């Protein structure tokens, strides 16, 4: 090409046509010869008429100017001009081989188009037949040989097909390939990413020593790489690094799903002089679980993308709500939640709700009976790869189900399934095959109770942790692709001190990881590439060149052609190999003195042939339009007045339509929903009507006033007796205590809102059918949420026998309750309001069964039982008619009836206040009252039996 200042001409001889411009100008402005005059007699009629239009004697100046410019633009376009400010003028046509060096590692991706344009502009300088050679700095197995001679046309096509690689450049390797080629270039052009990684300054000095060097450096503006990530339960912090610390800068990051859908964005601000900063994302746990990658908005490149793997990701754990929300600090779930909070996002709900969120693990604490429908859902979830972790307790000790890793030793509800020792047991060393192997065992962790596994030949293989006596503490068994894990103690401190130690958190973390089928430590196995990034940061399937990585070498692996950045699947789940991990990019500050540095403007080249020819064609089209208009050929195309009005109206409508979206955007906004989706929300104020009152009147009454409830049995006579009994008890409470209950309600276990009633009385019919699955499920939920149920079999008339709770096993099958025990001496139920020692109803001397709480000196939780079973027929002893008279006789007369009433008062106060009277602060008052009673003195505050008429 011929250089003319900053312009290069591919066909300079085309400019010779400029010499013909004066002739063309003269032809364009010439006019036709003057016409001859011929007189016609009829033309005298037109004398005095003024013509409306006149034909000019010469071509208007603006017409021949348009035509001249069109010819001039066409001539210049045919000369094939190229605007190249970086081209050196005065150089000979042949200078010898030209070597073009291009940095094609991941730091070059943000300004890749500028680098390739600069390399292409270099091809425009020099002679047409100048040999060119190509050297790429990113190592590849099939990198072009620098010794291969290419024509400028071939190299231009080759540069157009180049793409940046997702790994870093290796300039030392590039110099070795250049030395091996034996090439002696006469001129070198280096399209550099400007990053001093791998000895950039030394590389520039070496090239400058070989031949005259021209450099175009294009470092990334703003953040060059995402270098790290830290995650919490509902927040993620991403670290960014930049190469040029001068001045302040800011960037925006987006959190995206694997398919590229944006979920949230965050801003990162670099202060002047800072090379690193961070961006914090506050995302709800449900949406955070969908995030798979973070990238810098508007910046393409593998270095500006961070893939989030399962190692860094917080675990999603579902806790099945067992109705402990009312007293969270007294529940086992409190200790589980505190242990999970540092590394997991927690969701709470019933089994159906938790399974629907697809968590990594689900934890159940002391759940003995799981409804059949929920068992099926949990089984499918576990077999699909979930980890079900369960903790023991009184309920699980009494009855279990099929979702256990080992069989448990069952016992009757009365005795429970626990083991007590004279001395608490410590933890033995963890087996080598256990996920807990290597964890330090605190000496102060002791176990006082546990559920025992039935002997089994495979029990040893299923045991992850043992006590000093060899009994299993944690067992696990695979179920499909998932795992069942059982801690044989409670999650709280009732049975063991494990919840108080840091070992509890580590065991939970490893149990979740191992339960997902992932290794705790990468000591064996390999990671196979699944998805890899290209140089522009796009995620695609792994190529055939990508090779697996040994688990022990993964942490030290540097991205390369055989190990590209991406997601790898291995023994510990999914791990990410990120291009910018730990990177500290810095600019090349020292350049060789002999090197010529091109700025952004100098490195660009612009081919002007196409625009000039297009400009010429446009001018000729304009000239043709003017000629047709002057000749009157366009009048028929002009719109009529009505048509013009219609066109104007349509134009106005279009203008208003263009303005409408701005108004719409002002009225609506998009908000991130808890499920991770975005929904449009109106920002205008509006009146929202209150929801209609669709609740049944019974629920409204129960919500407004405290009432007792009783189960409808279908036996009208029995239901009437129960109702009369609860009315009598309510009257006693109203007269003697601050509790003011309204009339009791009859309840349908399948449809009524049980949670509105603090106490439900179940008077069991003689031949009662088993409760339905729905009734049992709702009754379980009611008991777990703090409700209380009094079950009365009315079988106390059989003298010499005691209550047989086994009769209720068929009726209450599926009810998740712990083992039962008779009310022990000095139980808080005997002093919650009155001091009583017996709990008679219509029949005396009957046992009252309550939930077993283990050692009486160490009650479980708040020590409050929610289930009471007996056969004393209390409803008959409490029953009164409309006038307040007793309806049924009592074996022991008025004194027994009064004691039965006092038991009813104690029961309601116990249900409402729990273990309040078990506090030591009440001991002096109780001792004083006991002393007065021992002295035979009357308690003036409470009426005696003789004060109650028959």
């Amino acid at each position: 090409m011929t250089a003319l200042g900053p312009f290069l001409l591919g066909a300079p001889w085309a400019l010779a046509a400029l010499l013909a411009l004066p002739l063309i100008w003269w032809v364009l402005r010439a006019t036709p010869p003057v016409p001859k005059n011929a007189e016609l007699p009829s033309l005298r009629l037109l004398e005095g008429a003024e013509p409306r239009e006149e034909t000019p004697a010469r071509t208007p100046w603006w017409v021949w100017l348009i035509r001249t410019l069109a010819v001039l633009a066409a001539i210049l376009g045919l000369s094939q001009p190229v605007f190249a400010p970086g081209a050196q003028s005065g150089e000979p046509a042949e200078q010898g081989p030209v070597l073009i060096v291009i940095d094609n590692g991941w730091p070059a991706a943000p300004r890749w188009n500028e680098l390739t344009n600069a390399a292409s502009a270099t091809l425009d300088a020099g002679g047409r037949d100048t040999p060119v050679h190509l050297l790429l700095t990113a190592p590849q197995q099939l990198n072009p040989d620098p010794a291969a001679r290419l024509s400028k046309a071939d190299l231009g096509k080759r540069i157009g097909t180049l793409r940046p690689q997702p790994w870093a450049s290796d300039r030392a390797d590039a110099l070795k390939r250049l030395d091996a080629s034996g090439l002696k270039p006469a001129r070198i052009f280096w399209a550099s990413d400007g990053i001093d990684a791998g000895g950039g300054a030394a590389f520039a000095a070496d090239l400058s020593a070989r031949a005259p060097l021209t450099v175009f450096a294009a470092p990334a503006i703003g953040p060059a790489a995402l270098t790290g990530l830290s995650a919490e339960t509902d927040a993620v912090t991403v670290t960014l690094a930049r190469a040029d610390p001068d001045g302040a800068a800011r960037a925006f990051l987006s959190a995206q799903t694997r398919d590229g859908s944006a979920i949230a964005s965050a801003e990162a601000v670099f202060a002047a002089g800072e090379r690193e900063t961070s961006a914090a994302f506050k995302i709800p746990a449900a949406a955070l679980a969908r995030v798979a990658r973070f990238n810098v908005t508007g910046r393409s490149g593998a270095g500006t993308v961070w893939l989030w793997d399962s190692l860094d990701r917080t675990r999603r754990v579902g806790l099945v709500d067992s109705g402990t929300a009312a007293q969270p600090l007294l529940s086992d779930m409190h200790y589980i939640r505190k242990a999970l909070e540092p590394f997991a996002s927690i969701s709470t709900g019933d089994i159906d709700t938790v399974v629907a969120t697809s968590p990594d693990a689900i934890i159940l604490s002391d759940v003995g009976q799981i409804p059949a429908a929920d068992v099926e859902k949990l089984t499918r979830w576990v077999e699909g790869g979930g980890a079900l972790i369960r903790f023991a307790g009184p309920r699980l000790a009494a009855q279990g189900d099929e979702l256990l890793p080992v069989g448990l030793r069952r016992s009757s509800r009365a005795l429970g399934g626990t083991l007590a020792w004279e001395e608490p047991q410590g933890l033995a060393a963890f087996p080598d095959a256990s996920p807990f192997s290597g964890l330090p065992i605190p000496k102060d962790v002791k176990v006082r109770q546990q559920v025992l596994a039935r002997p089994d030949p495979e029990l040893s293989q299923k045991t992850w942790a043992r006590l000093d006596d060899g009994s299993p503490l944690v067992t696990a068994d695979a179920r499909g692709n998932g795992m069942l894990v059982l801690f044989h103690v409670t999650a709280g401190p009732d049975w063991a001190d494990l919840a108080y130690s840091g070992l509890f958190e580590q065991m939970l973390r490893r149990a979740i990881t191992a339960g997902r089928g992932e290794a705790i430590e990468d000591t064996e196995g390999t990671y196979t590439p699944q998805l890899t990034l290209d140089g522009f940061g796009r995620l695609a399937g792994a190529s055939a060149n990508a090779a697996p990585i040994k688990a022990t070498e993964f942490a030290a692996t540097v991205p390369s052609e055989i190990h590209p950045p991406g997601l790898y699947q291995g023994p510990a789940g999914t791990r990410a190999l990120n291009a910018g991990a730990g990177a500290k990019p810095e600019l090349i500050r020292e350049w060789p003195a002999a090197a010529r540095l091109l700025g952004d403007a100098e490195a660009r080249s612009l081919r002007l042939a196409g625009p000039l020819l297009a400009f010429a064609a446009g001018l000729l089209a304009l000239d043709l339009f003017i000629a047709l208009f002057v000749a009157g050929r366009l009048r028929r195309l002009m719109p009529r007045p009505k048509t013009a009005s219609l066109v104007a109206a349509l134009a106005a409508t279009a203008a208003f339509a263009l303005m409408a979206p701005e108004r719409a955007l002002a009225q609506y906004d998009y908000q991130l929903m808890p499920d991770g989706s975005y929904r449009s929300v109106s920002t205008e104020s509006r009146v929202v009507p209150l929801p209609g009152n669709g609740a049944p009147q019974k629920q409204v009454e129960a919500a407004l006033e405290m009432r007792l409830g009783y189960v409808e049995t279908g036996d009208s006579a029995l239901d009437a007796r129960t109702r009369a009994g609860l009315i009598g008890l309510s009257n006693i409470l109203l007269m003697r205590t601050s509790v003011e209950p309204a009339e009791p309600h009859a309840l349908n276990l399948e449809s009524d809102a049980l949670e509105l009633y603090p106490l439900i009385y179940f008077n069991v019919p003689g031949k009662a059918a088993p409760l339905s699955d729905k009734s049992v499920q709702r009754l379980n939920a009611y008991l777990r949420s703090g409700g209380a149920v009094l079950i009365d079999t009315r079988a106390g008339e059989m003298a010499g026998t005691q209550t047989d709770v086994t009769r209720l096993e068929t009726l209450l099958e599926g009810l998740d309750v712990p083992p039962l025990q008779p009310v022990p001496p000095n139980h808080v139920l005997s002093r919650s309001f009155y001091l009583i020692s017996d709990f008679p109803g219509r029949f005396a001397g009957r046992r009252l069964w309550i939930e077993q709480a283990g050692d009486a000196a160490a009650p479980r939780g708040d020590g409050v039982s929610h289930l009471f079973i007996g056969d004393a027929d209390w409803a008959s002893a409490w029953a009164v008619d409309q006038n307040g008279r007793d309806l049924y006789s009592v074996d022991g007369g008025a004194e027994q009836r009064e004691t039965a009433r006092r038991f009813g008062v104690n029961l309601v106060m116990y249900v409402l206040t729990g273990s309040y009277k078990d506090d030591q602060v009440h001991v002096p008052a109780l001792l004083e009252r006991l002393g007065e009673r021992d002295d035979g003195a009357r308690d003036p505050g409470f009426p005696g039996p003789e004060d109650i008429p028959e």
Side-chain angles (χ1 to χ4, degrees):
M1 285 190 175
T2 301
L4 185 62
F7 294 95
L8 301 175
L9 302 177
W13 292 107
L15 297 180
L18 294 176
L19 299 176
L21 276 181
L23 178 61
I24 297 173
W25 172 79
W26 181 80
V27 171
L28 291 177
R29 71 185 300 271
T31 58
V34 179
K36 296 179 180 181
N37 293 329
E39 295 184 2
L40 295 175
S42 60
L43 294 179
R44 292 180 180 180
L45 298 174
L46 300 177
E47 289 183 2
E50 295 293 335
R52 295 184 179 180
E53 297 182 2
E54 296 182 356
T55 301
R58 294 179 179 276
T59 304
W61 67 268
W62 48 273
V63 174
W64 63 257
L65 179 60
I66 291 175
R67 295 172 181 175
T68 304
L69 289 177
V71 174
L72 178 60
I75 294 173
L76 294 178
L78 293 175
S79 67
Q80 300 180 13
V82 178
F83 179 70
Q88 293 181 346
S89 60
E91 294 178 347
E94 296 292 341
Q95 317 176 54
V98 176
L99 175 63
I100 295 181
V101 183
I102 301 178
D103 283 337
N104 62 330
W106 64 260
R111 301 183 65 181
W112 180 252
N113 289 336
E114 298 177 48
L115 292 176
T116 55
N117 288 340
S120 299
T122 302
L123 299 177
D124 296 330
R128 184 184 300 273
D129 298 327
T130 301
V132 289
H133 302 261
L134 180 64
L135 177 63
L136 302 177
T137 58
Q140 283 183 276
Q141 294 180 356
L142 299 179
N143 251 334
D145 186 0
R149 175 172 175 169
L150 301 173
S151 65
K152 287 189 174 183
D154 293 339
L155 185 56
K157 295 178 182 179
R158 180 68 181 274
I159 292 176
T161 61
L162 291 178
R163 296 293 182 270
Q165 301 300 332
W167 51 87
S169 298
D170 188 347
R171 294 173 178 137
D173 176 75
L175 288 178
K176 292 180 180 179
R177 288 187 279 115
L178 181 58
D179 292 336
S181 68
L183 177 66
K184 302 296 182 181
R187 185 162 60 93
I188 300 177
F189 177 81
W190 180 21
S192 171
D193 57 26
I195 304 299
D196 193 14
F203 183 73
D206 190 287
L207 294 180
S208 180
R210 295 172 185 263
L213 176 63
T214 302
V215 179
F216 171 63
I221 301 173
L226 303 183
T227 60
L229 178 145
S230 61
E232 299 177 1
T233 56
D234 59 350
V236 176
T237 301
V238 182
T239 305
L240 302 83
R242 62 173 179 170
D244 187 1
D246 297 338
R250 68 174 185 169
F252 291 92
L253 278 73
S254 63
Q256 300 178 350
T257 60
R258 183 169 293 187
D259 60 2
S261 301
I263 289 182
S265 62
E267 182 180 10
V269 178
F270 289 93
E274 285 186 348
R275 292 185 179 274
E276 289 188 352
T277 188
S278 60
F281 290 84
K282 290 290 185 180
I283 307 175
L288 190 63
R290 301 174 54 198
V291 176
R293 55 185 286 173
F294 300 87
N295 69 288
V296 181
T297 304
R299 192 68 55 83
S300 61
T304 56
V305 173
W306 188 274
L307 299 177
W308 200 11
D309 59 15
S310 60
L311 187 65
D312 294 331
R313 185 183 297 274
T314 56
R315 298 292 181 177
R316 293 178 293 114
V317 180
L319 304 183
V320 175
D321 185 8
S322 298
T324 57
Q327 296 177 312
L329 299 181
L330 298 177
S331 68
D332 290 348
M333 282 298 179
H334 170 73
Y335 298 92
I336 297 175
R337 185 181 295 274
K338 288 299 181 182
L340 293 175
E341 282 178 352
F343 68 91
S345 64
I346 303 172
S347 60
T348 306
D350 56 18
I351 292 178
D352 192 16
T353 303
V354 170
V355 170
T357 62
S358 298
D360 296 317
I362 293 178
I363 297 181
L364 303 177
S365 178
D366 191 20
V367 177
Q369 282 288 333
I370 303 177
D374 290 339
V375 169
E376 183 178 354
K377 295 175 184 178
L378 282 175
T379 301
R380 288 198 304 266
W381 175 80
V382 171
E383 292 177 350
L388 179 61
I389 301 176
R390 304 183 65 173
F391 285 86
R395 291 180 175 86
L396 188 62
Q399 51 188 347
D401 49 55
E402 60 186 45
L403 293 178
L404 292 171
V406 295
L408 299 180
R409 290 184 179 179
R410 300 291 197 271
S411 64
S412 67
R413 295 190 179 190
L415 299 179
T418 58
L419 175 67
W421 302 279
E422 296 181 358
E423 295 293 335
Q425 296 287 313
L427 275 64
F430 297 117
D432 294 337
S434 169
F436 308 142
S437 177
L439 292 179
I441 300 176
K443 296 181 179 180
D444 56 349
V445 174
K446 301 295 181 180
V447 176
R448 294 175 294 277
Q449 290 182 345
Q450 69 172 150
V451 291
L452 288 177
R454 287 202 302 260
D456 187 273
E458 298 180 353
L459 181 60
S460 177
Q461 301 176 2
K462 298 179 181 180
T463 301
W464 284 2
R466 293 185 175 89
L467 300 182
D468 288 336
D469 63 354
S471 59
L473 176 65
V474 181
T475 54
D477 188 25
R479 182 72 61 89
N481 295 326
M483 187 77 68
L484 300 175
V485 182
L486 173 64
F487 284 74
H488 291 237
V489 294
T490 59
D494 297 328
W495 289 9
D497 301 326
L498 186 61
Y500 292 144
S501 68
L503 177 63
F504 185 53
E505 175 187 340
Q506 299 178 40
M507 292 178 71
L508 269 183
R509 184 192 296 263
R510 294 199 176 193
I512 294 172
T513 302
R516 295 287 296 175
E518 302 171 1
I520 303 301
E521 297 181 358
D522 293 341
T523 56
E524 297 180 359
T526 59
Y527 284 88
T528 304
Q530 283 190 329
L531 298 172
T532 57
L533 290 173
D534 63 6
F536 290 115
R538 295 172 298 202
L539 205 59
S543 64
N545 295 332
I549 306 174
K550 291 183 179 180
T552 54
E553 300 174 356
F554 193 94
T557 300
V558 177
S560 62
E561 182 181 12
I562 60 173
H563 302 313
L567 295 175
Y568 290 73
Q569 184 69 34
T574 303
R575 296 194 63 177
L577 188 63
N578 290 294
K584 296 182 178 180
E586 295 184 7
L587 294 178
I588 300 177
R589 299 290 185 179
E590 298 180 0
W591 298 97
R596 182 187 178 202
L597 300 180
L598 300 181
D600 291 348
E602 294 177 315
R604 297 170 183 164
S605 65
L606 179 61
R607 297 183 180 272
L608 302 177
L612 287 174
L613 292 176
F615 180 66
L619 291 177
L620 292 177
L622 178 62
D623 181 69
L624 178 61
F625 178 83
I626 294 173
L628 293 175
F629 180 78
V630 171
R633 299 297 180 87
L634 298 180
R635 291 180 180 177
R636 64 185 64 180
L637 301 178
M638 295 297 291
R640 298 178 180 179
K642 293 184 178 180
T643 306
S645 302
L646 180 59
V647 171
L650 292 177
T653 304
F656 282 112
L658 292 176
M659 297 173 61
E662 298 181 0
R663 182 180 179 186
L665 289 177
Q667 294 177 351
Y668 291 90
D669 192 9
Y670 289 90
Q671 291 186 2
L672 178 64
M673 298 292 105
D675 60 355
S677 62
Y678 284 87
R679 297 180 184 175
S680 60
V681 179
S682 175
T683 59
E684 293 184 347
S685 59
R686 58 193 179 99
V687 178
V688 180
L690 293 175
N693 185 13
Q697 184 63 27
K698 181 192 294 186
Q699 293 186 17
V700 176
E701 294 175 354
L704 294 178
E705 296 182 284
M706 195 279 284
R707 316 171 171 261
L708 304 178
Y710 63 94
V711 178
E712 286 183 327
T713 62
D715 186 339
S716 58
L718 182 60
D719 292 344
R721 176 181 297 216
T722 306
R723 176 179 176 80
L726 293 184
I727 290 176
L729 178 59
S730 298
N731 292 338
I732 294 296
L733 290 169
L734 186 62
M735 290 187 296
R736 303 184 184 184
T737 70
S738 59
V739 180
E740 300 178 354
E743 289 190 3
H745 278 167
L747 302 178
N748 187 321
L749 295 179
E750 295 187 0
S751 59
D752 287 328
L754 306 182
E755 64 275 6
L756 298 177
Y757 304 89
L759 176 64
I760 297 177
Y761 194 107
F762 187 9
N763 223 340
V764 182
K767 297 181 179 180
L771 297 178
S772 65
D773 293 340
K774 184 176 181 180
S775 298
V776 171
Q777 185 176 357
R778 299 187 80 244
L779 204 54
N780 279 332
Y782 171 74
L783 290 171
R784 291 169 185 164
S785 62
V789 177
L790 174 60
I791 300 177
D792 190 354
T793 64
R794 299 177 296 110
E797 58 185 351
M798 299 176 62
T801 62
Q802 287 298 335
T803 306
D804 184 14
V805 296
T806 59
R807 175 188 165 202
L808 299 175
E809 290 184 355
T810 302
L811 175 66
L812 304 177
E813 184 178 2
L815 194 65
D816 188 17
V817 295
L820 302 178
Q821 65 177 1
V823 177
N826 200 30
H827 191 272
V828 67
L829 182 60
S830 63
R831 59 180 186 275
S832 59
F833 193 84
Y834 290 106
L835 295 176
I836 57 177
S837 58
D838 192 14
F839 313 103
R842 188 179 185 187
F843 310 111
R846 312 306 298 174
R847 285 181 179 176
L848 175 64
W849 296 79
I850 62 175
E851 296 177 4
Q852 185 177 7
D855 186 8
R860 176 173 171 77
D862 60 356
V864 177
S865 175
H866 300 288
L867 183 64
F868 309 88
I869 298 179
D871 57 2
D873 194 3
W874 294 285
S876 298
W878 301 335
V880 295
D881 60 13
Q882 295 180 353
N883 298 320
R885 292 176 298 186
D886 301 326
L887 290 177
Y888 304 100
S889 62
V890 176
D891 291 348
E895 183 175 356
Q896 181 176 326
R897 189 187 303 276
E898 172 61 19
T899 306
R901 288 171 175 168
R902 293 191 176 192
F903 161 68
V905 173
N906 276 21
L907 177 63
V908 173
M909 300 302 293
Y910 174 75
V911 169
L912 294 179
T913 63
S915 58
Y916 168 72
K917 279 299 182 70
D918 206 21
D919 197 294
Q920 293 297 313
V921 71
H922 302 288
V923 171
L926 294 174
L927 292 177
E928 180 180 357
R929 291 183 58 192
L930 288 173
E932 293 176 353
R933 189 171 298 277
D934 292 341
D935 295 338
R938 286 283 313 277
D939 184 354
F942 307 101
E946 60 275 15
D947 298 325
I948 306 298
E950 284 294 332

